[in-house]
Amino acid sequence: MTKNDLQTYIQQKRIGYLPVYHSECRGPDHEREYRTHIRVGEINSKHNNKIVYSDWYKNKKTAESCCAIKVLNYLNQQGREDLNNKYQEQKKTRQQQEQEIESPPPQQPQQLTYQTKQSIDSLFSKFISIDKNKIKDELIEKQKNDGNLLSGGFSYLHFNEPTQMEKDNEIERLKRTLGDLQQRVDTMNSIFQDENCNNLTLGQIKTIGMPIIKTLQQGDDGKPMEMNKSKPRDYQCELYRKSMEKDIICCLPTGLGKTLISCLVIKKMKQLNPSKQIVFIVDRIPLVIQQSDVIETETGLKVLSAHGETFKPVQLKQRFDVLVVIGDLFNKLLSNGDLNILSFCLIVIDEAHHIVKEHSFAKLLRDKLNTIPEICHPKILGLTASPAGKKDFFNTLLSLKLISKVSRCEIIKPTNQSIIPYINQKNIKIIPIPTNNLERHSIQILKDLISKYKPNLSNNQELFDSVTSVIDSNTLKGLGVGGGGGGSNSSTQNHNLNKFLSSFFEKINDFINFKMFGSAIPVGLNLKSFLIEEISNIDDVELQSEILAMVHSLPCDEEIADSISKLEIALQILDEKKSDDLKAIIFVKTRDVAKKVYSLLDQLRMGDRFSFIKPNLVVGHGSIGGMSISSQKKAIEEFRSDQCNVIVATSVVEEGFDVPECNIVIRLDPPTTVTANIQSRGRLRNRDSYFYGIVKVDDPREDNIYEFFKNQERYLEEAINFLKTGELPISLKQQNYTTQVNQVDEEMDTNSYFASASALVQEMVIQVKRHTFDFGIAWEHTPDGSGFFNAIATFYINKEAAHSHFKSGQNKKTAKENTCKSILQSGLIYNLIKNLE
């Protein structure tokens, strides 16, 4: 802050002080030191010639800045003294007036007189933290609306004579009002003294206003305010209280009312901070409208919805209490200056498991909030069904700690006992389908072609998608082809091969999933004939003959008569569960597959067996093959109103829409993450509901995938419990050293077991560092006096020694190994991770 900044500040706040500047320096040119004097005199006052000056500094700018800050502190103190004097004068004047009054004055219209305005001007003229004209206008407007000032204060300014009780009440209200204003001055002092506030503009400082109240006040019974529609359950009230105590991420299964918990916090925070606004941030556009409707209905607050398709920044000029917005758009509005983060007292983040890496949620919490002082940080509330899904307890714990670090939140999960009565009893069934001869032979042909010709997959996204839909990436690497693989054959031959492979892979994939080729189910399936016709289109004669020889190795048609496709299984399920209240969702991985399944269902419902099916389609809103937001919403509304009873959907429905009363979920393709698995199961809302996962048992991408996700859910629950209680999972404590080393190594996705415990400990330390924590280990070896050695491991957190651990051995290597075994068996690293910040 320079002297010009100080002068501008004084003018902005209309402060009656006149600073006079004087600078001096000392020492030779190469060791010059500077300081600045400012004489601060109140205009037309006896308090002239108050001097504030800085110490000696190495440059003129620093001297001016330090002196300006001291001047501001002086002005703040002077403002408080004047305020107290004015209050005492007001009190004395009113007491004298009460003694002189013998009879009540005549009735007068309730309007502010010139003298009343003068008294208000006088009362607030010395408050440097606020614009007195703005306060005056607010008071006048308040008087016009309800005949009262500042939430019931200043009624003694009316011309009607108040009773003694009313006078006492007004005095107490006035004291509270003045206390609020004093609190604002103190907040400003804290901000000016905070070195992180140097980048704040005067406009931002003015926006801060009253400090944010983030916790329940003394005398509050802790009960949430009533909602307009819903009555919160006990666990929702408990999570509301936890949120009002500290910043939290609320981890709660889908369907148990996370949004209602946020509404409880939103309504209370608005009551505690009436001049501030609230932002509810979501990850997907459909959630903007959906959550806006819920918040407005439950709280009665004014909600503004904002997403990229229809929103214009000019809409921010209208009055609103809660802004529901896409994360990317909110960050953009902050960067462009259309919004000020200081205007918000609460940030609610829906689907908070996205607080990772460079996601917009992480950028907001990690980058945007770091630009404002801690005292101005809004309260944070995150909502998620699954904040982390990792391959072992160790990595799950690290992931949770990283989310907590970025969000500055504690992850909270209610006890199972409190939510079990409300969890739908879903029947989960995993249906394995064996791979038949046709699939095995066809996939082998594909592998042979790829191994021999090494097609270029990096330059053909369509071919790459087709290939990886049948053959997993690890198998491709084993064949010598990855995402960037390229062959050495001629470009013409590559073109012909790629063209054939794209068609061949697509047909094989369609057969595996749907037992169909092309756009319809064939009558009298004959795969050989179909593929021979495909091969005949290849221009390269040599390539054509080589592929034709491979195709002739396929089995006869009768060998595939008993093959079962995933779609056939799904149709059997729908047929068995058909009823008047059928509500089913069929999840697939890609938009193309979703459209094929929908088309097939639309054809099948024309027959007698599946006439009960009324299908619809919901895919993402991207530009290529996507649906508009209105089309998505229309499909969901038709599902809700029974105009359709089967939705074929991609992941957009996993967490993008509220789908009530769904009783069947069928996954033709397994989910890609444990979060997607939890979200898709969460679409089931009926008590008597069913979840079906259809998997290929011989496919490494699908076999045992649901068991893997089940373990990940267990790791998540164990990690959250460990962070809360410090109690390690029983399974981890019961493992001996060998099992633990082998298991953790396998879950870290390496190709061989660790040779030693010390190698595993070192790898765990590296993993913690990769999660951006300042964590390290140092070793020291000392003789113990009896011919053995002690290996001392010292763990460092933020460059400071956090814990030391040692064991002895016959030599240094043995001692180090014994120390690492003890570290692993004691769970020391887990406890150190628990305390990371």
Side-chain angles (χ1 to χ4, degrees):
M1 175 174 288
T2 65
K3 61 184 182 182
N4 292 333
D5 294 326
L6 175 63
Q7 184 70 58
T8 302
Y9 179 82
I10 291 174
Q11 293 174 354
Q12 289 273 347
K13 300 304 179 184
R14 299 179 175 85
I15 303 171
Y17 288 91
L18 182 65
V20 179
Y21 305 93
H22 173 67
S23 298
E24 61 179 311
C25 62
R26 68 181 183 185
D29 291 341
H30 62 283
E31 292 183 354
R32 287 284 187 184
E33 292 184 317
Y34 302 87
R35 67 177 176 180
T36 300
H37 300 255
I38 301 181
R39 297 180 181 273
V40 181
E42 186 176 358
I43 299 174
N44 300 324
S45 172
K46 63 183 179 180
H47 299 298
N48 284 317
N49 299 321
K50 294 285 184 181
I51 300 175
V52 183
Y53 64 91
S54 65
D55 294 328
W56 292 99
Y57 293 92
K58 291 297 183 182
N59 59 71
K60 191 177 298 184
K61 183 177 180 180
T62 303
E64 291 178 350
S65 177
C66 293
C67 190
I69 291 175
K70 291 185 178 182
V71 171
L72 287 174
N73 289 336
Y74 164 77
L75 294 177
N76 289 340
Q77 182 63 35
Q78 187 66 37
R80 286 197 294 270
E81 292 175 357
D82 288 351
L83 170 65
N84 185 61
N85 293 336
K86 291 296 182 182
Y87 172 69
Q88 295 298 332
E89 292 175 5
Q90 285 276 4
K91 182 177 179 181
K92 182 178 179 180
T93 301
R94 285 179 20 244
Q95 289 175 346
Q96 293 175 350
Q97 290 175 348
E98 290 174 4
Q99 295 175 358
E100 295 174 357
I101 294 177
E102 297 180 355
S103 59
Q107 292 285 348
Q108 294 290 340
Q110 294 191 358
Q111 59 183 7
L112 292 176
T113 64
Y114 175 74
Q115 289 77 11
T116 305
K117 293 179 183 178
Q118 273 194 324
S119 67
I120 294 174
D121 286 347
S122 174
L123 181 63
F124 295 104
S125 62
K126 295 303 178 184
F127 275 94
I128 65 170
S129 61
I130 56 178
D131 187 326
K132 65 177 183 179
N133 288 336
K134 180 179 178 182
I135 291 293
K136 182 177 67 176
D137 293 342
E138 290 177 355
L139 293 174
I140 295 173
E141 185 64 27
K142 184 71 176 174
Q143 174 75 5
K144 291 179 181 178
N145 291 338
D146 56 16
N148 221 342
L149 294 173
L150 283 180
S151 300
F154 293 103
S155 66
Y156 69 88
L157 295 176
H158 296 171
F159 287 89
N160 294 331
E161 174 63 21
T163 65
Q164 185 60 45
M165 181 177 295
E166 290 174 336
K167 292 177 182 178
D168 293 340
N169 290 339
E170 297 302 338
I171 291 174
E172 292 302 319
R173 289 175 180 174
L174 178 58
K175 288 180 179 179
R176 288 198 298 271
T177 301
L178 296 178
D180 288 343
L181 295 172
Q182 181 64 60
Q183 193 175 12
R184 183 179 292 191
V185 173
D186 292 339
T187 301
M188 290 301 166
N189 280 333
S190 300
I191 290 172
F192 289 132
Q193 294 170 10
D194 191 330
E195 61 183 14
N196 295 324
C197 300
N198 291 339
N199 295 327
L200 291 183
T201 66
L202 293 175
Q204 289 176 318
I205 293 175
K206 185 176 180 180
T207 302
I208 292 172
M210 293 296 295
I212 299 173
I213 302 175
K214 301 182 184 180
T215 58
L216 299 176
Q217 301 301 287
Q218 186 175 4
D220 196 310
D221 58 7
K223 293 181 180 179
M225 302 174 70
E226 289 187 4
M227 295 292 100
N228 293 340
K229 183 178 179 182
S230 304
K231 183 177 180 180
R233 299 162 179 167
D234 290 343
Y235 66 85
Q236 291 172 320
C237 294
E238 179 61 26
L239 289 170
Y240 155 77
R241 286 188 287 271
K242 291 287 186 184
S243 177
M244 294 306 300
E245 291 172 4
K246 63 186 80 172
D247 293 349
I248 69 168
I249 291 177
C250 170
C251 181
L252 196 65
T254 301
L256 292 190
K258 294 186 291 294
T259 304
L260 182 61
I261 295 171
S262 70
C263 288
L264 300 174
V265 179
I266 286 170
K267 193 165 185 178
K268 188 63 179 179
M269 285 297 291
K270 185 62 181 178
Q271 182 198 46
L272 294 175
N273 304 274
S275 64
K276 296 285 186 178
Q277 295 167 323
I278 293 160
V279 60
F280 191 108
I281 306 176
V282 300
D283 184 51
R284 302 193 182 200
I285 291 178
L287 286 169
V288 174
I289 305 300
Q290 177 180 304
Q291 301 292 39
S292 295
D293 293 342
V294 173
I295 294 170
E296 195 160 49
T297 299
E298 294 288 3
T299 66
L301 297 174
K302 178 67 174 176
V303 179
L304 175 64
S305 304
H307 57 78
E309 285 195 345
T310 59
F311 180 76
K312 303 295 181 185
V314 70
Q315 294 175 248
L316 296 170
K317 294 183 178 180
Q318 59 184 282
R319 189 191 71 81
F320 64 89
D321 303 309
V322 183
L323 174 67
V324 182
V325 62
I326 294 290
D328 285 326
L329 177 58
F330 185 64
N331 286 348
K332 180 180 178 182
L333 293 171
L334 290 175
S335 299
N336 293 343
D338 297 309
L339 285 175
N340 192 331
I341 192 68
L342 300 171
S343 301
F344 297 93
C345 63
L346 171 65
I347 297 177
V348 182
I349 299 179
D350 200 16
E351 310 298 349
H353 50 269
H354 293 303
I355 304 175
V356 292
K357 299 180 181 178
E358 295 305 307
H359 192 278
S360 60
F361 293 174
K363 288 181 179 180
L364 169 66
L365 297 173
R366 185 182 59 235
D367 303 334
K368 300 294 184 183
L369 291 185
N370 285 340
T371 63
I372 61 175
E374 189 72 29
I375 192 174
C376 302
H377 280 199
K379 176 181 282 295
I380 306 295
L381 171 61
L383 309 172
T384 182
S386 175
K390 299 299 178 181
K391 52 198 171 186
D392 57 14
F393 174 82
F394 173 73
N395 282 282
T396 301
L397 179 63
L398 275 180
S399 181
L400 292 179
K401 288 299 297 185
L402 183 59
I403 291 176
S404 293
K405 176 185 177 182
V406 174
S407 65
R408 303 177 179 88
C409 294
E410 180 179 342
I411 297 175
I412 301 290
K413 185 178 184 294
T415 61
N416 289 334
Q417 292 81 358
S418 65
I419 63 176
I420 282 177
Y422 305 99
I423 296 178
N424 294 336
Q425 300 303 310
K426 308 176 187 70
N427 299 291
I428 300 176
K429 295 184 179 181
I430 307 304
I431 303 175
I433 300 179
T435 303
N436 58 58
N437 288 336
L438 173 64
E439 294 172 43
R440 278 195 291 270
H441 281 267
S442 299
I443 292 174
Q444 187 58 51
I445 290 175
L446 298 175
K447 290 180 179 178
D448 292 342
L449 288 170
I450 289 174
S451 179
K452 181 175 181 178
Y453 294 104
K454 302 289 189 299
N456 191 323
L457 304 182
S458 62
N459 296 332
N460 190 328
Q461 186 63 41
E462 182 180 354
L463 174 60
F464 179 77
D465 292 340
S466 297
V467 169
T468 53
S469 68
V470 180
I471 301 177
D472 65 287
S473 56
N474 288 331
T475 302
L476 286 176
K477 291 178 182 178
L479 297 174
V481 178
S488 58
N489 299 299
S490 68
S491 59
T492 303
Q493 190 179 58
N494 267 328
H495 173 75
N496 284 292
L497 180 64
N498 289 352
K499 183 178 178 182
F500 169 74
L501 287 178
S502 295
S503 178
F504 192 15
F505 272 92
E506 183 178 358
K507 303 304 183 294
I508 294 299
N509 191 40
D510 284 351
F511 180 82
I512 292 172
N513 289 307
F514 318 122
K515 201 174 180 179
M516 58 166 281
F517 291 90
S519 60
I521 298 177
V523 178
L525 177 67
N526 189 316
L527 177 64
K528 277 188 179 180
S529 300
F530 186 87
L531 291 178
I532 289 172
E533 184 177 346
E534 289 278 315
I535 296 169
S536 65
N537 295 323
I538 300 177
D539 297 331
D540 191 310
V541 177
E542 181 181 353
L543 180 62
Q544 183 186 108
S545 62
E546 290 178 356
I547 298 177
L548 190 61
M550 294 179 182
V551 171
H552 279 304
S553 67
L554 286 174
C556 298
D557 292 336
E558 54 268 21
E559 292 185 45
I560 65 173
D562 294 332
S563 65
I564 301 175
S565 70
K566 290 185 175 183
L567 182 61
E568 286 178 301
I569 297 293
L571 291 172
Q572 290 176 14
I573 294 170
L574 293 176
D575 193 28
E576 291 173 5
K577 299 296 180 182
K578 64 182 177 184
S579 63
D580 293 338
D581 61 348
L582 173 68
K583 288 290 183 67
I585 302 177
I586 299 176
F587 281 105
V588 297
K589 186 180 295 184
T590 66
R591 295 174 183 176
D592 288 340
V593 173
K595 292 175 181 178
K596 288 177 182 177
V597 174
Y598 167 71
S599 178
L600 284 168
L601 293 179
D602 201 36
Q603 293 178 46
L604 290 171
R605 73 186 184 93
M606 301 302 178
D608 293 336
R609 182 183 176 187
F610 297 106
S611 59
F612 65 92
I613 294 179
K614 295 179 286 184
N616 213 329
L617 177 71
V618 179
V619 297
H621 64 275
S623 57
I624 301 176
M627 295 176 66
S628 65
I629 300 297
S630 58
S631 297
Q632 292 174 338
K633 189 174 181 181
K634 180 182 177 183
I636 296 297
E637 289 302 321
E638 290 178 356
F639 188 70
R640 181 179 283 107
S641 62
D642 296 328
Q643 296 180 55
C644 82
N645 57 8
V646 178
I647 287 182
V648 183
T650 55
S651 60
V652 67
V653 176
E654 289 172 357
E655 59 182 61
F657 289 95
D658 179 24
V659 184
E661 300 180 359
C662 177
N663 48 32
I664 293 178
V665 165
I666 302 172
R667 291 212 67 120
L668 293 187
D669 295 314
T672 55
T673 65
V674 65
T675 300
N677 187 46
I678 293 172
Q679 295 281 12
S680 59
R681 284 207 320 263
R683 299 303 94 192
L684 295 170
R685 301 297 173 89
N686 280 352
R687 290 285 178 182
D688 186 22
S689 52
Y690 296 84
F691 177 91
Y692 297 93
I694 307 174
V695 295
K696 284 287 184 180
V697 293
D698 297 327
D699 189 332
R701 299 166 303 169
E702 299 189 7
D703 198 11
N704 294 323
I705 186 69
Y706 287 100
E707 188 66 26
F708 179 66
F709 288 148
K710 183 178 179 181
N711 289 333
Q712 286 190 332
E713 290 186 53
R714 175 171 58 84
Y715 296 140
L716 173 61
E717 189 166 338
E718 290 174 345
I720 292 177
N721 182 68
F722 173 67
L723 291 174
K724 180 180 179 181
T725 66
E727 185 71 19
L728 282 169
I730 295 176
S731 59
L732 200 62
K733 291 191 293 184
Q734 289 178 342
Q735 290 174 342
N736 59 37
Y737 157 70
T738 305
T739 304
Q740 187 178 17
V741 171
N742 290 347
Q743 179 186 354
V744 175
D745 169 58
E746 184 178 5
E747 290 166 346
M748 284 182 177
D749 197 24
T750 57
N751 295 323
S752 61
Y753 294 133
F754 285 107
S756 64
S758 57
L760 174 57
V761 169
Q762 185 62 37
E763 178 63 23
M764 294 173 79
V765 171
I766 292 172
Q767 291 287 338
V768 179
K769 288 182 177 179
R770 285 175 181 167
H771 282 71
T772 71
F773 291 103
D774 190 350
F775 188 75
I777 185 172
W779 288 94
E780 181 182 359
H781 297 86
T782 60
D784 67 354
S786 61
F788 282 66
F789 285 87
N790 290 327
I792 306 172
T794 303
F795 289 93
Y796 287 84
I797 298 176
N798 298 327
K799 306 294 188 301
E800 295 184 1
H803 189 87
S804 293
H805 198 85
F806 74 91
K807 290 291 178 182
S808 62
Q810 292 180 341
N811 51 53
K812 293 181 180 180
K813 182 177 180 180
T814 304
K816 183 176 181 179
E817 185 70 7
N818 290 339
T819 300
C820 289
K821 287 181 181 180
S822 178
I823 288 171
L824 293 171
Q825 291 168 348
S826 66
L828 172 60
I829 292 183
Y830 299 110
N831 283 287
L832 290 173
I833 292 172
K834 178 177 180 291
N835 297 320
L836 289 174
E837 296 294 340

